[in-house]
């Protein structure tokens, strides 16, 4: 029983962390119409940033700043935001798919950097040695995990409320206006590229927060945590929940993460040994099929928002 | 020097793949993340057809010395090109056209993102995660020069030659046939092309066939140069995108040049960077182009 | 307000009835537009900026979705056909802007346009060049390098390539020098004399009315007035209301 509950706590923690990243993506895609093909890079920048800033000195690696946890977490977000700013500033004025390609490229480059630069973040073996905050008070057991879940949930709610207010604010209306009719917005004296950049950087910082939480939850991060499939998973969560819909995004996260862990468990349990090697391939096909299938048959998601924001009209 | 030669050889299949991608990106107006998977489709289809031909006509399985290539594989390449062209149309009918009809261009990017994952892993499930070769025989490299030492495998020379032949053929089609004019017309101004009697649907299908055929050839050439592995698409997406961006989206000749630039730069980078960083090199090229010349070498600005 | 009944034309090539069309659903730009073009005549459509003149022509060419009404060509209904089918029906369209393929050479532009005319293209190319001798020395140049007037000639040559029954021309004189304008309009006149039916949109009201047979005035997407071109040119009220200051030029 306690085993099940502690598993549920674990599941809920990871799902909530991912939900934060999905909310960040929703600001970019759902509200602004920006395709981020490298979510994992911004998630990873947050994760690595947080651990590097918060960890004690490690031999042969950057680090030893030992910043307090909230500062380290913020630093991770700043790292993600800076990365987003650099990519966005270069691409957001150009044809829309440049951003998709550049973000995809950032993720590839980021993973290759983290895998190889031992001096920076330990290379393939990753960064370990982060002291979990408040560990002295809460210990290492179930209580700690429960408290951490509470902390993550608080942040999830905070991000949710922040985004809901943002979307309802004049800035949010501006985002939609630009997505619907860029020329009209420009003729009103708005600068679409700038507004998009703000939305892109904000969304990426939120992904960075998710990455920072993820890294501190495990007190460890390595290149294995920033594989490209994470980008696909987060996208699937968003499209299932319904782009533009924050509550749907959270539900989509729970659903997809549940399906992912559930299918992984079922395959490892029931599939013949020879097929075990292909668990990943089967799951990847499922994630890809979810994305394509949703686009074809239910582009508004399983939980359509009440206030429907139409996808922007076709250009040309 | 060796790196330069290797870079040119790498460039030959990246260019072929980039031509198809740049056409699709220009005429269908979306960044197709599943384009590199067409290389895998072509490469594995050729593997299957090669085995089939060799089984039916054993004579065809003898090597055409000094190449490791057989007549069977040569025929398989041709059939695989047709097969992959048909596959590309089929995927368009099943997925992209339906998204195009109801959604916007970004939904197409998204759909191709998902399709890439599906295609890549279906190939892994069908053919196994391990790597495979067209021929088990070890191909010996020929020494082109001793000082500096330059080694080239006969197969690589074949790859370069065949890629250049395909590019020349495409060039002739685009500049000598009314079909080629129609394709270029659609790329420049689809509405005007229609007014001039061009059937847009057919041209889109033709674009996919060309893209699929060239991708198949590129995939086989990659397989001949290295090995077949289901994740080859994943490793090729970025270099091929980089080639289109360097050349300028929509420019066939830009894609050719971009492909060679990416191939050469990736191989020269090995001189200064540890090989672990090579996946990042195309991204650095993209960055450089975006900073210096956002529309690429031959591209035009277009929203 | 003066109106004129339709001249009793027995030989109508093109006719629109109740044409309602627009770029996005439920937002018609044209409402209930009715026009006719008679065989071998020049019919001109004029009106203020944004009146929907280009939209009318595009709707006839199949480039703008028609939500109500009909377009008939020689008695056959062709409403809502795809633009390439329209072309196959013998409708040629010379757009207001971007009416040639800049990246193709002049020869390639012409050969592309001749493609739908079927076999025997080389003889037809020679015939086209006879008609537009100015293009002959530049066949190998990229069309983007042509001057404005030459571009219009090329665009019209492409439109004529397949012996159309009807040519739709959208402001062929836009951006041209007075001399090139005169040349282009004279060419239109010459074509009409050869039996080609022309539906012409023009800003250059005086010149257009000078060569046209019949004229429609469009404003806010609706028919306003129509009548023989000469009569409109001389009508003081029409001049006052629709031709504005240009009335003075026509005197
Ligand atoms: N591609 C388009 N999408 C949406 N609306 C359009 C488009 N093109 C034109 N419009 C609108 O349709 C209306 C009529 O435009 P149209 O181009 O037909 O006018 P016009 O009479 O040809 O004007 P002009 O004399 O300036 O050429 C205008 O209000 C214009 O804003
Ligand atoms: Mg107009």
């Amino acid at each position: 029983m306690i085993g099940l509950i502690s598993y549920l706590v674990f599941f809920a923690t990871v799902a909530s962390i991912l939900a934060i990243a999905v909310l960040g993506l929703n600001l970019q895609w759902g509200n602004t119409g920006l395709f981020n093909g490298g979510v994992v890079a911004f998630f990873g920048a947050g994760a690595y940033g947080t651990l590097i800033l918060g960890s004690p000195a490690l031999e042969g690696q950057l680090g030893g700043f030992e910043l307090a946890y909230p500062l380290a977490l913020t630093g991770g977000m700043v790292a993600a935001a800076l990365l987003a700013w650099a990519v966005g500033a270069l691409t957001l004025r150009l044809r829309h798919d440049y951003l998709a390609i550049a973000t995809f490229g950032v993720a590839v480059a980021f993973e290759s950097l983290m895998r190889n630069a031992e001096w920076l973040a330990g290379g393939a073996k990753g960064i370990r040695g982060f002291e979990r905050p408040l560990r002295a008070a809460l210990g290492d057991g179930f209580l700690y995990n429960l408290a951490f879940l509470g902390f993550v949930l608080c942040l999830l709610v905070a991000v949710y409320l922040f985004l809901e207010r943002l979307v309802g604010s004049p800035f949010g209306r501006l985002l939609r206006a630009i997505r619907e009719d860029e020329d009209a917005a420009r003729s009103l004296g708005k600068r679409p590229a700038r507004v998009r950049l703000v939305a892109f950087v904000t969304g990426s910082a939120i992904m960075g927060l998710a990455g920072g939480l993820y890294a501190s939850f495990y007190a460890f991060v390595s290149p294995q945590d920033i594989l490209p499939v994470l980008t696909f998973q987060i996208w699937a969560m968003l499209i299932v929940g319904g782009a533009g819909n924050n509550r749907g995004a959270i539900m989509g996260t729970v659903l997809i993460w549940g399906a992912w862990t559930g299918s992984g468990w079922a395959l490892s349990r029931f599939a013949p040994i020879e097929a075990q090697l292909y668990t990943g391939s089967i799951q990847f096909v499922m994630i890809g099929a979810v994305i394509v299938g949703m686009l074809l048959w239910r582009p508004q998601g399983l939980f359509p928002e009440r206030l429907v924001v139409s996808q922007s009209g076709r250009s040309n | 020097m060796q790196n330069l030669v290797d870079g040119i050889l790498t460039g030959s299949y990246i260019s072929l793949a980039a031509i198809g991608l740049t056409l699709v990106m220009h005429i269908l107006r979306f960044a197709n993340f599943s384009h590199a998977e067409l290389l895998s489709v072509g490469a594995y289809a050729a593997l299957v057809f090669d085995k089939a031909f060799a089984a039916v006509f054993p004579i065809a399985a003898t090597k055409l010395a000094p190449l490791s290539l057989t007549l069977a594989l040569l025929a398989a390449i041709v059939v695989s090109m047709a097969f992959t062209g048909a596959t590309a149309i089929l995927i368009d009918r099943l997925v992209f056209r339906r998204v195009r009809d109801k959604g916007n261009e970004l939904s197409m990017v998204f759909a191709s993102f998902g399709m890439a994952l599906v295609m890549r892993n279906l190939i892994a499930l069908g053919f196994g995660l391990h790597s495979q070769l067209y021929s088990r025989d070890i191909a010996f490299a020929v020494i082109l020069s001793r000082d500096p030492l330059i080694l080239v495998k006969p197969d690589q020379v074949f790859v370069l030659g065949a890629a250049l032949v395909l590019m020349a053929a495409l060039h002739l089609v685009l500049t000598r046939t009314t079909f080629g004019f129609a394709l270029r017309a659609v790329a420049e101004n689809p509405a005007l092309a229609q007014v001039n009697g061009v059937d847009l649907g057919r041209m889109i299908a033709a674009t996919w066939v060309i893209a699929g055929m060239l991708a198949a050839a590129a995939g086989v050439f990659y397989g001949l140069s290295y090995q077949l592995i289901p994740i080859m698409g994943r490793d090729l997406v970025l270099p091929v995108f980089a080639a289109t961006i360097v050349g300028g989206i929509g420019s066939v000749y830009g894609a050719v040049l971009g492909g060679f630039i990416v191939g050469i730069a990736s191989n020269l980078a090995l001189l200064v960077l540890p090989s672990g960083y090579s996946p990042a090199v195309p991204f650095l090229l993209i960055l450089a182009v975006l900073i210096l010349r956002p529309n690429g070498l031959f591209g035009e600005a277009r929203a | 307000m003066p109106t004129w009944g339709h001249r009793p034309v027995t030989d109508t090539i093109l006719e629109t009835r109740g044409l309602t069309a627009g770029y996005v659903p439920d937002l018609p730009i044209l409402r209930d537009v009715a026009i006719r073009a008679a065989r071998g005549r020049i019919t001109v459509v004029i009106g203020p900026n944004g009146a929907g003149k280009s939209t009318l022509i595009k709707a006839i060419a199949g480039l703008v979705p028609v939500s109500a009404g009909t377009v008939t060509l020689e008695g056959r209904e062709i409403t809502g056909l795809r633009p390439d089918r329209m072309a196959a029906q013998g409708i040629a369209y010379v757009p207001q802007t971007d009416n040639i393929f800049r990246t193709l050479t002049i020869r390639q532009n012409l050969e592309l346009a001749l493609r739908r005319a079927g076999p025997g293209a080389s003889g037809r190319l020679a015939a086209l060049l006879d008609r537009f001798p100015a293009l002959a020395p530049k066949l190998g140049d990229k069309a983007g390098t042509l001057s404005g007037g030459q571009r219009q000639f090329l665009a019209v040559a492409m439109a004529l390539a397949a012996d159309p029954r009807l040519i739709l021309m959208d402001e062929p004189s836009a951006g041209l020098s007075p001399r090139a304008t005169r040349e282009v309009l004279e060419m239109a006149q010459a074509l009409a004399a050869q039996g080609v039916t022309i539906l012409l949109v023009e800003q250059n009201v005086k010149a257009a009315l000078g060569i046209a047979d019949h004229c429609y005035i469009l404003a806010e997407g609706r028919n306003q007035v129509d009548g023989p071109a000469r009569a409109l040119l001389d009508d003081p009220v029409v001049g006052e209301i629709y031709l504005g200051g240009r009335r003075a030029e026509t005197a």
Side-chain angles (χ1 to χ4, degrees):
Chain A
M1 192 57 201
I2 192 78
L4 182 67
I5 291 178
S6 65
Y7 181 77
L8 281 180
V9 168
F10 167 79
F11 177 87
T13 308
V14 178
S16 310
I17 291 174
L18 291 173
I20 292 177
V22 176
L23 286 178
L25 184 62
N26 197 18
L27 176 63
Q28 297 177 343
W29 169 256
N31 299 112
T32 322
L34 301 173
F35 189 89
N36 184 343
V39 173
V40 68
F42 306 100
F43 185 89
Y48 273 94
T50 302
L51 281 203
I52 289 174
L53 291 172
S55 68
L58 296 162
E59 207 173 316
Q61 289 182 20
L62 190 66
F65 304 103
E66 295 191 76
L67 293 188
Y69 183 58
L71 279 180
L73 208 51
T74 313
M77 290 173 71
V78 170
L82 284 177
L83 189 63
W85 180 80
V87 178
L90 280 176
T91 52
L92 283 172
R93 278 167 297 114
L94 302 169
R95 202 180 127 144
H96 61 237
D97 35 19
Y98 277 90
L99 179 72
I101 300 169
T103 45
F104 182 82
V106 167
V108 172
F110 187 81
E111 187 193 334
S112 123
L113 183 67
M114 290 310 156
R115 211 174 268 290
N116 292 283
E118 300 226 346
W119 54 270
L120 179 62
K125 62 183 197 311
I127 303 185
R128 192 187 293 281
F130 192 79
E131 181 69 24
R132 299 175 89 181
L134 297 184
R135 181 169 160 223
L138 295 167
D140 261 336
F142 178 67
L143 185 63
Y144 187 94
N145 289 341
L146 204 58
F148 193 81
L149 172 61
F151 174 60
V152 171
L153 281 176
C154 286
L155 285 176
L156 175 61
V157 171
V159 169
Y160 173 84
L161 292 177
F162 167 72
L163 288 177
E164 285 288 304
R165 292 194 61 170
L166 187 73
V167 169
S169 73
F171 182 78
R173 284 196 293 280
L174 185 57
L175 287 183
R176 277 192 298 279
I178 288 175
R179 200 185 65 173
E180 301 293 327
D181 191 343
E182 177 164 349
D183 296 329
R186 190 179 288 119
S187 67
L188 292 175
K190 310 297 181 191
R191 291 164 62 187
R194 236 188 112 102
V195 174
R196 283 212 204 93
L197 186 60
V198 172
F200 184 66
V201 170
T202 309
S204 299
I206 293 172
M207 293 169 193
L209 172 66
L213 289 171
Y214 182 87
S216 36
F217 179 57
Y218 288 103
F220 173 65
V221 65
S222 82
Q224 288 312 107
D225 297 312
I226 52 166
L227 296 178
V229 68
L230 183 61
T231 299
F232 289 93
Q233 289 169 332
I234 289 177
W235 270 106
M237 292 166 184
L238 179 62
I239 181 91
V240 164
N245 173 359
N246 286 328
R247 206 173 310 170
I250 295 173
M251 293 200 271
T253 310
V254 175
L255 214 62
I256 289 291
W257 188 239
W260 178 269
T261 48
S263 64
W265 176 80
L267 285 166
S268 68
R269 182 87 195 254
F270 302 116
I273 292 292
E274 319 81 83
Q276 302 266 328
L277 190 57
Y278 291 93
T279 302
S281 300
I282 294 170
Q283 287 185 298
F284 292 166
V285 170
M286 284 174 12
I287 287 285
V290 164
I291 291 176
V292 176
M294 290 296 297
L295 277 172
L296 286 180
W297 292 295
R298 247 190 114 75
Q300 74 278 31
L302 294 184
F303 315 99
E305 59 184 325
R306 293 134 298 163
L307 180 153
V308 177
V309 183
S310 71
Q311 285 288 318
S312 65
R314 39 177 93 200
S315 40
N316 286 309
Chain B
M1 261 325 270
Q2 180 71 46
N3 293 65
L4 188 63
V5 173
D6 289 344
I8 292 171
L9 299 169
T10 311
S12 57
Y13 58 78
I14 294 183
S15 293
L16 280 183
I19 292 172
L21 181 59
T22 213
L23 282 174
V24 168
M25 284 175 72
H26 194 54
I27 291 179
L28 290 124
R29 289 167 167 76
F30 80 108
N32 182 7
F33 276 88
S34 65
H35 187 76
E37 306 312 321
L38 290 175
L39 273 73
S40 309
V41 171
Y44 277 94
L47 186 70
V48 173
F49 290 127
D50 177 38
K51 295 234 169 79
F53 292 150
V56 181
F57 309 106
I59 332 151
T62 49
K63 288 197 294 176
L64 305 166
L67 305 177
S68 76
L69 204 70
T70 62
L71 214 51
L73 181 57
L74 217 49
I77 294 175
V78 175
V79 179
S80 160
M81 284 171 71
F83 175 82
T84 311
T87 307
I89 292 196
L90 185 73
I91 293 173
D92 185 55
R93 292 280 141 96
L94 291 179
V95 180
F96 294 135
R97 190 168 76 179
R98 294 166 64 179
V99 176
R100 188 159 68 231
D101 285 347
K102 71 172 121 181
N104 60 9
E105 292 141 0
L106 273 174
S107 294
M108 306 261 292
V109 177
F110 194 2
S112 76
F113 214 63
M115 272 315 286
L117 204 58
V118 172
M119 290 166 73
R120 186 180 310 149
N121 289 288
L122 283 179
I123 290 175
L125 290 175
F127 291 89
L129 287 165
H130 55 283
S131 64
Q132 302 185 42
L133 295 169
Y134 289 115
S135 157
R136 308 216 148 273
D137 305 329
I138 296 162
F140 291 100
V142 178
I143 299 170
L144 267 193
S145 127
R146 280 184 193 283
D147 185 32
L149 184 66
I150 302 176
L151 300 170
V152 174
K153 291 184 198 164
D155 283 352
Q156 294 178 311
V157 177
F158 164 78
V159 164
L160 179 62
L164 292 177
V165 166
L166 285 173
M167 290 173 200
L170 182 66
H171 169 76
L172 289 179
V173 168
L174 289 178
T175 54
R176 298 285 143 81
T177 67
T178 49
F179 165 74
F181 307 157
L183 200 65
R184 288 161 60 199
V186 169
E188 184 184 322
N189 186 341
L192 185 62
Q194 281 188 292
V195 166
N196 276 286
V198 176
D199 182 340
L200 212 53
R202 267 206 211 158
M203 284 300 137
I204 288 174
T207 306
W208 282 115
V209 171
I210 294 174
M213 285 173 59
L214 295 180
V220 176
F221 296 165
Y222 176 90
L224 275 174
S225 309
Y226 302 101
Q227 57 188 1
L228 295 168
I229 187 153
I231 56 167
M232 62 192 258
R234 188 195 71 191
D235 298 338
L236 283 165
V237 191
L238 202 54
V240 177
F241 268 130
T244 63
I245 290 184
V246 169
I249 293 173
S251 165
V252 169
Y253 305 102
V256 171
L257 190 65
F260 283 106
I261 291 177
V262 170
I264 292 170
S266 304
N267 280 277
L268 290 184
L270 292 174
L271 297 174
V272 286
L273 280 175
S275 67
Y277 289 108
S278 25
V281 172
F283 173 67
L284 296 180
L285 276 173
I286 291 177
L287 274 191
V289 171
L290 290 182
I291 292 170
L292 299 174
R293 207 181 150 87
N295 292 306
L297 296 175
F298 292 98
E300 289 177 45
R302 200 178 69 180
Chain C
M1 184 170 300
T3 50
W4 288 267
H6 286 294
R7 175 166 32 161
V9 265
T10 46
D11 207 7
T12 300
I13 294 277
L14 176 83
E15 176 161 22
T16 71
R17 281 202 198 137
L19 196 65
T20 302
Y23 297 88
V24 278
D26 306 321
L27 207 80
I29 302 282
L30 297 178
R31 289 163 211 256
D32 226 9
V33 173
I35 61 160
R36 290 175 179 212
R39 183 186 303 279
R41 298 287 160 82
I42 298 181
T43 305
V44 69
V45 178
I46 58 176
N49 286 105
K53 304 180 299 289
S54 298
T55 307
L56 171 62
I57 281 203
K58 283 191 237 173
I60 296 170
L63 288 165
V64 171
V66 172
S67 52
T70 57
V71 180
T72 48
L73 187 71
E74 294 195 284
R76 265 194 70 208
E77 184 175 339
I78 55 164
T79 324
L81 284 187
R82 266 186 359 223
D84 51 310
R85 296 275 163 76
M86 291 285 191
Q89 292 290 322
I91 296 186
Y93 162 51
V94 183
Q96 184 170 350
T97 54
D98 294 324
N99 49 20
I100 51 152
F101 298 104
R102 285 174 292 114
T103 54
L104 269 55
T105 66
I106 287 138
R107 176 192 287 277
Q108 291 168 348
N109 268 287
L110 291 172
E111 284 185 359
L112 175 64
L114 284 165
R115 194 170 83 133
R116 67 177 188 276
S122 60
R124 288 166 165 278
L125 181 61
L128 272 182
L129 290 176
D130 280 348
R131 229 157 159 176
F132 300 92
L135 296 176
K138 311 204 168 200
L139 276 182
D141 296 358
K142 285 269 190 306
T145 63
L146 291 177
S147 70
Q150 291 167 332
R151 275 189 206 200
Q152 291 300 351
F153 280 120
L154 176 58
V156 174
M158 288 167 70
L160 286 175
D163 285 333
R165 291 194 257 188
L166 169 72
I167 301 190
L168 311 169
M169 284 189 191
D170 197 351
E171 299 196 25
S173 73
L176 296 190
S177 69
R179 180 161 157 256
T181 300
R182 203 167 51 244
E183 280 175 13
V184 167
L185 293 181
E186 274 166 10
M187 176 184 64
Q189 222 170 357
L191 289 174
Q194 290 163 30
V196 181
T197 309
I198 297 180
L199 182 65
L200 177 71
V201 166
E202 260 299 340
Q203 287 281 348
N204 199 333
V205 174
K206 177 188 156 193
L209 289 180
I211 62 163
D213 298 284
H214 200 80
C215 173
Y216 290 85
I217 299 182
L218 216 63
E220 288 168 12
R222 292 177 190 275
N223 282 87
Q224 304 294 332
V225 176
D226 76 276
R230 302 252 158 237
L232 280 188
L233 196 53
D234 299 334
D235 187 276
V237 182
V238 168
E240 201 67 37
I241 296 177
Y242 294 108
L243 309 183
R246 290 179 189 129
R247 171 67 191 151
E249 303 163 23
T250 66

